[in-house]
Amino acid sequence: MKGRSILLLTTITAVVLALPVVYAQNKPALAQQVAYKVVDGNKVDDNTLQGWKTWRALDCERCHGAQQQGLVGPSLVDALKQIDKDEFKRTVFGGRIGKGMPDFSASPRMQKHWEDLYAYLKGRSDGNIKPGDLSPMAGN
């Protein structure tokens, strides 16, 4: 009986010690502030404008659609409601090769403007930036 008590105690101790680790790994991500400014749905700050220009320059619409609605790639309007900035960064700099998403880590433009692209897409996902061409806000 003594051997069983030690085994049970060891098992309980291992479970109790593991609980904080499991909780920390499953803790929801904190909401991240995304810096984009938009007026009238299509006038944006300089950084967000660079994000839109990056979208256009890297021809992202050929897979994700001109309005980010999804084609062969997923809708980014929907995806940006669920993924955070870190997941976005991992995706553009690692790709999802098996699903057809290229790795843009060798792109100097993406390296410089990935956060701007995220802000633009987040503004589209939030419904604040309308589809189509953008222009700079007055006073930028």
Side-chain angles (χ1 to χ4, degrees), residues 45-139:
D45 63 279
D46 289 338
N47 291 341
T48 305
L49 188 62
Q50 283 302 317
W52 174 72
K53 288 179 178 181
T54 300
W55 168 267
R56 300 286 305 264
L58 297 177
D59 199 21
C60 302
E61 70 183 52
R62 68 188 158 132
C63 293
H64 295 287
Q67 297 181 7
Q68 299 77 40
Q69 77 279 10
L71 290 173
V72 295
S75 164
L76 297 179
V77 171
D78 294 338
L80 271 283
K81 292 180 188 328
Q82 298 176 3
I83 67 169
D84 65 8
K85 193 173 179 180
D86 293 331
E87 178 66 22
F88 178 81
K89 182 179 181 182
R90 279 191 298 275
T91 301
V92 297
F93 289 120
R96 291 190 177 160
I97 306 305
K99 294 184 176 189
M101 173 70 183
D103 174 352
F104 285 97
S105 59
S107 166
R109 183 169 191 100
M110 185 64 83
Q111 290 171 9
K112 185 173 181 181
H113 295 291
W114 75 268
E115 290 178 288
D116 302 331
L117 176 60
Y118 179 77
Y120 163 65
L121 293 172
K122 190 65 178 155
R124 286 284 300 119
S125 180
D126 292 346
N128 296 321
I129 299 175
K130 303 302 177 205
D133 292 345
L134 300 182
S135 58
M137 291 172 49

